[in-house]
């Protein structure tokens, strides 16, 4: 069996402490190499060769439940949507269940509490009171059984598997209060007179409040997955296919590769494909975040989920089902949402040892109160134990990170930023240096020929004919520019012999029996040419930010072809934003010094390295990392992801800048769907906002627990003469999770500091 990645849906996972237990149980299964449980969406992602049954039973043996919806990759058909719908229905049912039972428990608890506050008669001093409280006690017992039953079955499970969790704490706390009160009612003589106090209202209130907290949390959690729902909503249900000359609407699942489809104005594109007829503007903003619709005509690729604006288009289906860009984006976002940040591992570890520690603390506090406390000691012991157990649940701690990651990653997708892992999100917030590739990152990456300067006896057309014929063999953007220029002048290209690319320098070969050499100054000098006669011209062009390419024919210098790749209209503004974020921007390019300097000046970049060979880019990034390491600096790299892959991989966070929806999603830590450097600034701002949000959550959860426990243990008693009411502890603990989830949801309103200027149209100057 080959290793694969599977997703399990978990239930019974009520608290952060369970995360570690399920992970441990899964990792113990033979063949499992990775297991990661996400508390936010209650899933486990498992990598390995183990069968699904083995995984499910491992989880069940640990005291939880697991379902197996299929492999993560199987987005096909509607199974994915069905899963989503099933999950939502489950959540809705559970929400109503919790609300109902919260209402029942509070329905008893609140009147009892008011009675106690108003009459101060919660004691058992005579037979009449004994009878009355006896009835209340039985009713409370029934409520504990019906509305809090899940805590007690949890307690049973955790005793059986010897792993304490949040259920354990709630069950122990409320159970202890109820049992004590029942003893007061049945055997008041066992206790000193001033300890004959009942705490039924505490049991009922705590169960009610915690159920209410879970209900609110469930509801808020639903909102955190809105980004994925929005993406799912972009999928169309039907497609209009042309078969045997007739147009008919069929379910999108029945579209085959190679089918010819039609999209009418105002319709969403159903699958990825290539246009064969018609032209139109297509709104790709839902995927790329770029507000300006893109013009599309025959031969252009279109992407499922984008919106056809004004024209009718005929296209051939090329990618369907789980292969479409949209399906891949959805899978990627889902995966990243449930991935773990290093900071989350820490929180999980803490909460794993938390519950047993809390039980120990409760026991110590009980002992102190019993042996050293004032009378009524038994009552004090009870209140302190219950309150410590209830307030100590580390739920908020476990939710703090995954909730924010879920919302942050979703928000990123909405802005056209695809984040591969939570890890990248955390690293991006720490970047202090960003390395940018020049071509295609700062510049548009679509260079055009602007000037041709020849030496006697060659003419412009001769030069271009030979150069373009030679460049047919190269895939370099400069080569494409030269070929395109020849084509636009209707020049017929000739065959090449012995073509050779010299990476970072140029190309050589034979056309028409003439030996050709085409490339930068260094290439010429390396081949023993004297470039004096063209140097002035070349420098003048380079100072304008153009790239002069030297050409030699049959061992004679023949001229220069100048190519211009203008900087993107918004690069300067985006780099300014990066500077404002405190990030040092460094440009790397294989281009010559003068051109690089001109581009760097135009873009507002302070440090650049020119004439860097492609294979040296990664080394440059590494050098920067070493120079800055030890100071906690992180070096990011943004490139087009095609020839910069090693440098992207070397950097701490690699940003691949795509051109619209035509991106290789697998290529970097962060993929930017939009073709703008603003995306990098957006991503960094968002990651900072997410980290800030996580820290608020962790801080809140930590403060809550670290203040709550000593107060519950009675540390304030010597000063105030009062103990924390267990009901308040229950309320606080319910509130803490709700607060964390709500705070994470605030990230949904994140806005990048600057908005892309919609008037910034990327147009290149015409070919000369
Ligand atoms: P970049 O950083 O622009 O991707 P490269 O390392 O690919 O730089 O190329 C560096 C330089 O080598 C170019 O500026 C150009 O002068 C020359 N060069 C590389 N490939 C070619 C080619 N196919 N045709 C002409 N010149 C080339
Ligand atoms: Mg390049």
């Amino acid at each position: 069996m080959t290793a694969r990645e599977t997703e399990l849906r978990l239930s019974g996972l009520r608290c952060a402490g369970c995360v570690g237990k399920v992970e441990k149980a899964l990792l113990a299964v033979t063949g499992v190499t990775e297991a990661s449980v996400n508390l936010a969406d209650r899933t486990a992602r498992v990598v390995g060769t183990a069968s699904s049954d083995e995984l499910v039973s491992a989880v069940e043996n640990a005291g939880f439940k697991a379902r197996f919806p299929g492999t993560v990759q199987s987005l096909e058909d509607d199974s994915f949507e069905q899963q989503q719908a099933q999950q939502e229905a489950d959540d809705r049912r559970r929400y109503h269940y919790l609300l109902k039972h919260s209402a029942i428990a509070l329905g008893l608890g609140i009147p009892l509490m008011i009675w106690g506050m108003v009459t101060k008669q919660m004691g058992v001093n005579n037979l009449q009171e004994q009878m009355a409280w006896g009835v209340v006690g039985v009713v409370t017992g029934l409520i504990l059984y019906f509305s809090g039953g899940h805590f007690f079955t949890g307690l049973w499970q955790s005793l059986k598997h010897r792993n304490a969790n949040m259920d354990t704490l709630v069950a122990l706390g409320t159970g202890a209060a109820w049992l004590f009160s029942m003893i007061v009612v049945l055997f008041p003589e066992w206790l000193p007179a001033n300890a004959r106090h009942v705490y039924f209202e505490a049991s009922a209130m705590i169960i009610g409040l915690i159920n209410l907290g879970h209900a609110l949390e469930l509801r808020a959690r639903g909102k955190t997955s809105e980004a994925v729902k929005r993406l799912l909503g972009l999928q169309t249900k039907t497609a209009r296919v042309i078969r045997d000359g007739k147009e008919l609407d069929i379910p999108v699942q029945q579209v085959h590769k190679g089918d010819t489809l039609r999209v009418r104005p105002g319709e969403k594109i159903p699958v990825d494909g290539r246009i064969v007829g018609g032209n139109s503007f297509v709104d790709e903003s839902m995927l790329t975040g770029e507000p300006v619709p893109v013009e599309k005509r025959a031969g252009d690729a279109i992407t499922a989920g984008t919106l056809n604006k004004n024209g009718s288009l005929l296209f051939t289906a090329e990618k369907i089902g789980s292969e479409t860009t949209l399906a891949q984006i959805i899978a990627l976002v889902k995966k990243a949402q449930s991935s773990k940040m290093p900071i989350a591992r820490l929180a999980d570890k803490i909460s794993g040892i938390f519950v047993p520690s809390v039980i120990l603390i409760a026991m110590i506090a009980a002992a102190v109160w019993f042996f050293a406390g004032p009378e009524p000691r038994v009552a004090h012991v009870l209140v302190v134990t219950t309150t410590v157990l209830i307030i100590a649940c580390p739920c908020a701690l476990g939710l703090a990170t995954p909730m924010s990651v879920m919302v942050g990653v979703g928000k990123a997708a909405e802005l056209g930023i695809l984040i591969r892992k939570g890890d990248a999100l955390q690293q991006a917030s720490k970047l202090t240096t960003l390395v940018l590739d020049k071509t295609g990152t700062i510049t548009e990456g679509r260079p055009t020929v602007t000037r041709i300067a020849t030496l006697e006896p060659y003419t412009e057309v001769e030069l271009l004919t030979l150069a373009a014929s030679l460049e047919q063999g190269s895939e370099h953007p400069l080569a494409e520019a030269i070929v395109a220029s020849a084509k636009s002048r209707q020049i017929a290209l000739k065959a090449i012999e012995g073509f050779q690319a010299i990476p970072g320098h140029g190309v050589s070969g034979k056309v028409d029996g003439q030996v050709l050499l085409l490339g930068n100054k260094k290439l010429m000098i390396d081949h023993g040419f004297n470039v004096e006669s063209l140097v002035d011209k070349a420098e003048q062009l380079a100072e304008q930010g153009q790239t002069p390419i030297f050409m030699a024919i049959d061992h004679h210098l023949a001229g220069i072809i100048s190519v211009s790749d203008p900087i993107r209209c918004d690069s300067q503004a985006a780099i300014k934003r990066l500077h404002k974020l405190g990030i040092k921007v460094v440009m790397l390019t294989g281009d010559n010094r003068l051109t690089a300097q001109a581009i760097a000046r135009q873009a507002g970049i302070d440090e650049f390295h020119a004439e860097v060979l492609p294979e040296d880019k990664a080394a440059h990034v590494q050098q920067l990392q070493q120079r800055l390491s030890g100071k906690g600096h992180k070096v990011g790299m943004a490139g087009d992801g095609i020839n910069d892959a090693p440098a992207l991989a070397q950097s701490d966070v690699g940003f691949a800048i795509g051109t619209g929806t035509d991106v290789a999603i697998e290529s970097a830590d962060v993929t930017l769907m939009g073709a703008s450097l603003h995306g990098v600034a957006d991503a960094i701002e968002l990651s900072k906002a997410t980290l800030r949000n996580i820290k608020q959550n962790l801080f809140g959860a930590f403060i809550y627990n670290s203040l709550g426990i000593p107060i519950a243990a009675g540390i304030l008693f010597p000063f105030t003469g009062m103990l924390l009411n267990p009901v308040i502890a229950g309320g606080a603990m319910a509130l803490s999770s709700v607060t964390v989830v709500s705070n994470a949801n605030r990230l949904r309103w994140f806005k990048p500091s600057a908005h892309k200027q919609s008037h910034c149209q990327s147009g290149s100057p015409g070919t000369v």
Side-chain angles (χ1 to χ4, degrees):
M1 216 182 190
T2 51
R4 63 206 169 101
E5 189 176 304
T6 43
E7 190 185 78
L8 290 164
R9 290 206 176 281
L10 304 170
S11 50
L13 203 66
R14 299 248 164 67
C15 205
C18 319
V19 168
K21 270 157 213 139
V22 176
E23 283 175 356
K24 225 195 250 161
L26 286 169
L27 282 171
V29 178
T30 31
V32 172
T33 51
E34 268 173 56
S36 136
V37 170
N38 182 298
L39 186 65
D41 64 356
R42 275 121 222 256
T43 54
R45 215 164 270 282
V46 187
V47 180
T49 53
S51 77
S52 41
D53 291 342
E54 284 174 300
L55 296 178
V56 169
S57 66
V59 174
E60 277 167 3
N61 285 335
F64 306 94
K65 285 210 182 68
R67 255 190 312 133
F68 193 72
T71 54
V72 180
Q73 277 79 8
S74 72
L75 284 170
E76 256 125 74
D77 313 336
D78 47 15
S79 67
F80 188 65
E81 276 170 39
Q82 268 172 12
Q83 281 168 30
Q84 194 81 14
Q86 166 98 32
Q87 169 95 348
E88 270 170 40
D90 284 356
D91 281 355
R92 231 186 345 266
R93 211 172 313 121
R94 180 139 186 90
Y95 175 71
H96 288 296
Y97 172 87
L98 288 168
L99 264 196
K100 187 173 92 190
H101 288 281
S102 161
I104 295 173
L106 291 178
L108 175 74
I110 290 174
L112 276 182
M113 201 170 75
I114 293 173
W115 168 266
M117 287 192 304
V118 174
T119 66
K120 307 243 183 291
Q121 303 258 310
M122 301 286 273
V124 176
N125 302 305
N126 49 46
L127 189 66
Q128 194 190 351
E129 278 174 351
Q130 220 175 348
M131 301 274 281
W133 285 118
V135 173
V136 173
V138 170
V139 174
T140 310
L142 288 174
I143 283 176
L144 287 191
Y145 180 74
F146 285 111
S147 300
H150 46 283
F151 298 114
F152 290 90
T153 45
L155 172 66
W156 176 238
Q157 290 283 340
S158 74
L159 288 179
K160 216 165 66 184
H161 301 286
R162 255 171 262 133
N163 55 17
N165 57 33
M166 178 199 144
D167 288 347
T168 323
L169 298 180
V170 173
L172 282 178
T174 55
W178 182 80
L179 210 64
F180 175 85
S181 309
M182 280 314 271
I183 291 170
V184 170
V185 169
L186 296 175
F187 313 104
E189 65 282 1
W190 288 9
L191 294 155
N194 60 0
R196 292 176 194 157
H197 190 284
V198 292
Y199 294 94
F200 294 124
E201 94 286 9
S203 303
M205 285 293 289
I206 290 165
I207 294 286
L209 286 172
I210 290 172
N211 278 338
L212 182 65
H214 281 337
L216 295 179
E217 181 193 316
L218 201 66
R219 162 154 277 192
R221 206 187 313 131
K223 295 211 187 90
T224 59
S225 55
E226 247 166 32
V228 169
K229 272 186 229 153
R230 186 190 67 94
L231 287 170
L232 282 171
L234 296 176
Q235 266 162 343
T236 54
K237 298 256 180 298
T238 62
R240 175 160 280 230
V241 68
I242 301 177
R243 285 195 184 141
D244 309 325
K246 276 200 229 94
E247 292 191 10
L248 59 151
D249 289 315
I250 58 169
V252 71
Q253 294 86 350
Q254 291 171 17
V255 173
H256 297 292
K257 277 187 210 179
D259 276 347
T260 304
L261 305 173
R262 177 182 298 286
V263 269
R264 287 163 294 185
E267 281 181 341
K268 270 186 289 192
I269 288 148
V271 296
D272 289 3
R274 202 163 286 280
I275 300 174
V276 291
N279 53 6
S280 179
F281 281 88
V282 175
D283 177 2
E284 297 185 332
S285 61
M286 53 293 277
L287 296 184
T288 63
E290 297 273 347
V292 189
V294 186
E295 192 175 359
K296 302 270 183 180
R297 51 174 90 86
D300 288 341
I302 51 176
T303 314
T306 59
L307 183 69
N308 178 27
K309 300 288 272 194
N310 54 336
S312 178
L313 292 173
L314 273 182
F315 72 101
T316 315
E318 287 185 338
K319 286 180 185 165
I320 55 172
S322 63
E323 294 170 358
T324 66
T325 307
L326 178 61
Q328 288 183 38
I329 291 174
I330 293 170
L332 184 77
V333 170
K334 282 206 62 185
K335 190 169 164 179
Q337 277 187 328
S338 55
S339 72
K340 257 187 198 152
M341 284 195 179
I343 200 172
R345 293 257 166 228
L346 186 70
D348 285 350
K349 226 179 243 159
I350 295 175
S351 42
I353 52 170
F354 208 81
V355 174
S357 325
V358 163
I359 294 178
L360 196 71
I361 293 173
M363 273 154 54
I364 293 170
V368 170
W369 279 95
F370 188 77
F371 294 111
E375 290 294 345
R377 284 182 299 170
V378 199
H380 285 160
V381 165
L382 176 85
V383 170
V384 165
T385 326
T386 310
T387 319
V388 169
L389 290 175
I390 297 295
I391 209 159
C393 176
C395 262
L397 199 61
L399 287 170
T401 323
M403 281 294 164
S404 306
V405 172
M406 190 131 167
V407 183
V409 168
K411 185 73 206 180
E414 214 168 282
L415 297 170
I417 303 163
L418 301 179
I419 295 170
R420 176 171 307 287
K421 277 198 214 140
D423 198 14
L425 194 63
Q426 181 167 347
Q427 298 281 7
S429 72
K430 294 192 206 142
L431 290 181
T432 50
T433 304
L434 185 69
V435 177
L436 300 177
D437 179 46
K438 176 179 80 76
T439 313
T441 305
I442 298 169
T443 65
E444 285 176 6
R446 279 184 311 234
T448 50
V449 173
T450 48
R451 280 289 311 268
I452 299 173
T454 59
L455 291 175
E456 294 287 318
Y458 300 99
T459 65
E460 276 190 30
V461 171
E462 275 168 350
L463 207 70
L464 189 59
T465 309
L466 293 175
S469 303
L470 180 62
E471 292 284 26
Q472 287 176 96
S474 167
E475 281 171 353
H476 201 277
L478 292 174
E480 282 171 17
I482 291 170
V483 173
S485 166
K487 281 195 177 150
S488 76
R489 293 188 187 196
Q490 262 103 34
I491 291 174
L493 301 184
K494 303 180 174 170
I496 19 173
E497 291 165 62
F499 174 85
Q500 207 185 342
I502 309 139
H505 294 89
V507 288
S508 66
K510 248 176 161 184
V511 173
D512 252 0
Q514 289 163 298
V515 180
L516 304 179
L517 192 64
L518 193 63
N520 58 14
K521 193 166 99 185
K522 183 151 187 307
L523 181 76
M524 295 296 146
I525 292 172
D526 287 353
H527 281 75
F529 286 97
N530 181 350
V531 290
E532 274 316 310
S533 52
L534 285 171
V535 151
D536 284 352
K537 184 88 225 154
E539 286 186 354
Q540 183 199 333
L541 289 163
E543 272 161 12
Q544 296 165 17
Q546 303 198 14
T547 303
I549 301 169
F550 292 83
M551 177 144 186
I553 304 175
D554 274 340
H555 314 291
H556 293 285
L557 203 58
I560 290 179
I561 299 175
S562 185
V563 173
S564 159
D565 180 15
I567 74 166
R568 288 189 211 275
C569 55
D570 55 5
S571 288
Q572 201 195 359
I575 287 164
K576 231 184 226 155
R577 278 177 72 195
L578 290 166
H579 282 154
K580 252 192 211 148
L581 289 167
I583 291 166
K584 184 176 175 59
V585 179
V586 178
M587 181 176 92
L588 281 191
T589 181
D591 217 334
N592 74 81
R593 246 199 98 69
L594 281 175
T595 308
Q597 193 169 34
I599 297 285
R601 197 178 326 114
Q602 281 174 34
I605 291 174
D606 21 73
E607 184 181 328
F608 69 90
H609 300 275
E611 288 158 50
V612 181
L613 294 177
E615 65 267 27
D616 291 342
K617 285 187 178 172
H620 250 85
V621 172
Q622 198 178 13
Q623 259 171 34
L624 275 169
Q625 284 170 321
Q626 277 161 0
R627 202 167 87 199
L628 297 169
S629 74
K631 293 175 210 152
H633 287 288
K634 297 274 174 207
V635 180
M637 158 94 200
D640 51 21
I642 303 162
N643 50 15
D644 307 319
L648 288 176
Q650 172 62 42
S651 67
D652 294 306
V653 185
F655 297 87
I657 296 199
T659 45
T661 49
D662 186 22
V663 284
I665 291 174
E666 293 296 323
S667 63
D669 299 319
V670 179
T671 301
L672 304 168
M673 305 287 291
S676 159
L677 272 179
H678 274 298
V680 180
D682 289 351
I684 293 174
E685 282 179 7
L686 179 62
S687 82
K688 283 185 192 280
T690 309
L691 252 283
R692 211 177 311 126
N693 194 274
I694 288 173
K695 284 181 186 155
Q696 289 160 358
N697 281 348
L698 286 176
F699 179 78
F702 184 72
I703 281 289
Y704 161 84
N705 276 325
S706 57
L707 285 185
I709 295 174
I711 293 177
I715 213 157
L716 295 181
F717 187 84
F719 313 104
T720 60
M722 280 197 306
L723 286 174
L724 188 65
N725 188 326
V727 175
I728 294 177
M733 101 124 263
L735 206 65
S736 70
S737 321
V738 177
T739 314
V740 161
V741 179
S742 311
N743 188 49
N745 265 318
R746 281 193 319 126
L747 269 181
R748 289 193 300 146
W749 313 118
F750 167 84
K751 280 227 164 61
S753 68
H755 267 285
K756 286 166 207 146
Q757 299 133 306
S758 44
H759 67 262
C760 178
Q761 288 274 10
S762 41
S764 34
T767 313
V768 180

